[in-house]
Amino acid sequence: MIRLTTAGESHGKGLFAIIEGLPRGLKIDLDKINGELYRRQCGYGRGARQKIERDEVEILSGVRNLLTLGSPVTLAVWNRDYENWKDFMAPEGCDTEGRRVENVRPGHADLAGMIKFGAADARDILERASARETAVRVAAGGIFRQLLLSLGIEVTGFVRSVGTSRDENTYTFEEIQKGRSKDLCMLDSKAEERAKREIDVCKEDGDTLGGAIELRVRGLKSGFGSPMTYREKMDARIASALMSVQAVKGVEVGGGFSLSALKGSEAHDEISFENGKFTRASNRAGGIEGGASNGEELVFCVAMKPIPTLMRGLNTVNYTTKEKTKASAERSDVCAVPACEAVCESALLCEIAKIVSERLGGDTLTEWKKRYGELPL
């Protein structure tokens, strides 16, 4: 069974991932993984740190001659900015007062984490809670993407909205893959121009913007996940995986909340049998019924809140003195919705890979392919 564990701090030596359960014989394309990392760092409204890091993955174990061995795969994404922070972050010994954070930031893990762990410095919390952690999750997602592609399973997505600028159009899987822009990962150029104007205004005001992301999965056969126990339900597991991404505050499956306003005759997908397989006239269920995949495309929508680090600072208190003050400001983005899209794809890829591994089993990629090919549609 596939398992992913990550470690590392935002300004520490690096970010690391250990992937267990990968089958032997998967060919790894490092350029494609680095392409995913590059996509995570791009986007209109990103902050200065993206110009410092230029992330690239290094494989430390579990791969030989670019083929997985069946043993745990260890990935590293080194923090180039560590050279500027080692005096304050070095695990071997450092100055813990120089970059101390006591003005806790609303919307971050600072205050809750300090109370939970008994810390007097929010630095000990924010370094791990930071969205910088997602760099190595995207690297791992690059491996999961290659694994699933070997079975014919694909994942894509795009930015549906930024702030109040929303794209209401419907797109095919191919249109999303080929048409999303580099700047904001949107498909509608008019909606994107409106979004850029909103981002520019927020930048001038020291404010931030969130948005919505649509994700798709195609090629996944029916019967993954299960209606038999609540912990096996695919929609519950994927919602949990997507909610684990920093700043994500909501997940919809298929029609989501819009289904609550419809009649039953309007909300469900009628079934027919054509050309030797079951089909549905619509896909309001988002490819999942009763907690299991039904063979249609999986469809999810993710809501990302505005980044809570505002350069102008929100009202807060000093953790030690309890006096009113302005929140501390780390380097921040005005808008990171395109980056969040790349991260959400990786989180989705990871959970789909886990679910697939549980049903297929097998120690080699050859076994995986054989077993997947034998499954009914």
Side-chain angles (χ1 to χ4, degrees):
M1 184 179 74
I2 284 178
R3 179 180 178 185
L4 172 66
T5 302
T6 71
E9 285 73 46
S10 178
H11 295 99
K13 294 181 179 181
L15 291 309
F16 310 94
I18 297 178
I19 307 172
E20 300 174 73
L22 288 173
R24 178 184 176 89
L26 175 66
K27 184 77 170 180
I28 301 299
D29 188 326
L30 286 173
D31 288 339
K32 288 184 177 179
I33 298 174
N34 287 328
E36 298 284 338
L37 287 170
Y38 177 73
R39 194 161 72 86
R40 175 193 166 273
Q41 292 189 283
C42 291
Y44 197 83
R46 298 305 308 277
R49 185 165 190 185
Q50 310 313 316
K51 299 176 182 178
I52 297 172
E53 295 297 351
R54 290 291 187 268
D55 292 333
E56 292 186 348
V57 68
E58 182 176 351
I59 300 177
L60 303 182
S61 73
V63 175
R64 185 182 184 210
N65 194 32
L66 295 177
L67 286 173
T68 55
L69 300 173
S71 55
V73 171
T74 305
L75 306 177
V77 176
W78 304 103
N79 288 331
R80 300 187 187 191
D81 204 20
Y82 178 65
E83 286 302 310
N84 300 317
W85 281 80
K86 61 183 178 181
D87 290 345
F88 312 101
M89 290 297 298
E92 301 85 359
C94 64
D95 173 12
T96 59
E97 296 298 320
R99 296 291 180 93
R100 189 179 182 89
V101 177
E102 294 185 345
N103 297 343
V104 291
R105 301 166 300 167
H108 277 281
D110 297 359
L111 181 56
M114 292 172 79
I115 293 171
K116 176 178 174 63
F117 292 103
D121 180 3
R123 175 73 53 198
D124 293 342
I125 309 302
L126 66 88
E127 284 289 331
R128 179 59 189 162
S130 167
R132 174 72 188 147
E133 177 267 345
T134 62
V136 80
R137 270 209 268 181
V138 168
I143 288 184
F144 295 133
R145 187 186 300 277
Q146 293 172 43
L147 174 63
L148 293 173
L149 273 173
S150 72
L151 303 176
I153 303 168
E154 301 176 271
V155 172
T156 192
F158 72 103
V159 172
R160 175 66 78 178
S161 68
V162 172
T164 63
S165 303
R166 183 174 178 83
D167 178 356
E168 299 288 359
N169 297 312
T170 300
Y171 301 102
T172 65
F173 196 95
E174 290 84 0
E175 286 172 334
I176 296 170
Q177 282 184 315
K178 297 175 182 178
R180 61 189 183 187
S181 70
K182 180 180 177 181
D183 283 349
L184 284 176
C185 205
M186 299 182 80
L187 285 94
D188 185 314
S189 59
K190 292 182 179 179
E192 181 169 90
E193 286 305 312
R194 293 195 299 270
K196 286 181 177 180
R197 288 195 291 270
E198 285 195 59
I199 292 170
D200 291 342
V201 170
C202 280
K203 185 176 182 178
E204 292 179 7
D205 293 343
D207 216 328
T208 58
L209 278 177
I213 295 155
E214 185 170 313
L215 302 167
R216 304 271 194 89
V217 181
R218 75 171 176 184
L220 183 68
K221 294 184 177 182
S222 61
F224 286 88
S226 175
M228 297 307 181
T229 65
Y230 68 86
R231 64 180 172 273
E232 294 177 280
K233 289 180 179 289
M234 173 176 272
D235 40 4
R237 291 182 59 173
I238 290 175
S240 176
L242 292 172
M243 286 292 292
S244 76
V245 175
Q246 290 88 334
V248 169
K249 298 299 285 185
V251 177
E252 288 185 303
V253 183
F257 284 98
S258 66
L259 298 181
S260 65
L262 302 179
K263 298 175 183 177
S265 58
E266 301 169 321
H268 301 291
D269 308 309
E270 294 185 315
I271 302 171
S272 60
F273 189 81
E274 300 174 6
N275 301 319
K277 67 175 184 177
F278 295 102
T279 61
R280 285 159 179 79
S282 55
N283 191 24
R284 299 183 188 96
I288 301 175
E289 291 175 309
S293 60
N294 64 17
E296 301 291 327
E297 280 189 13
L298 304 190
V299 182
F300 306 96
C301 188
V302 175
M304 178 192 181
K305 70 178 182 180
I307 291 172
T309 299
L310 277 65
M311 297 313 294
R312 69 184 186 187
L314 293 171
N315 293 327
T316 187
V317 298
N318 180 284
Y319 183 79
T320 301
T321 67
K322 311 301 186 292
E323 294 177 352
K324 293 180 179 180
T325 185
K326 290 289 184 179
S328 300
E330 299 279 312
R331 267 194 306 260
S332 180
D333 302 316
V334 177
C335 176
V337 182
C340 186
E341 193 282 325
V343 176
C344 285
E345 280 193 36
S346 293
L348 178 56
L349 284 158
C350 177
E351 197 60 33
I352 295 290
K354 288 180 184 179
I355 292 168
V356 168
S357 73
E358 291 163 13
R359 189 177 184 194
L360 297 185
D363 299 310
T364 69
L365 187 59
T366 300
E367 291 177 278
W368 279 50
K369 288 182 176 180
K370 181 177 184 295
R371 293 173 184 179
Y372 191 71
E374 291 172 348
L375 292 175
L377 295 175

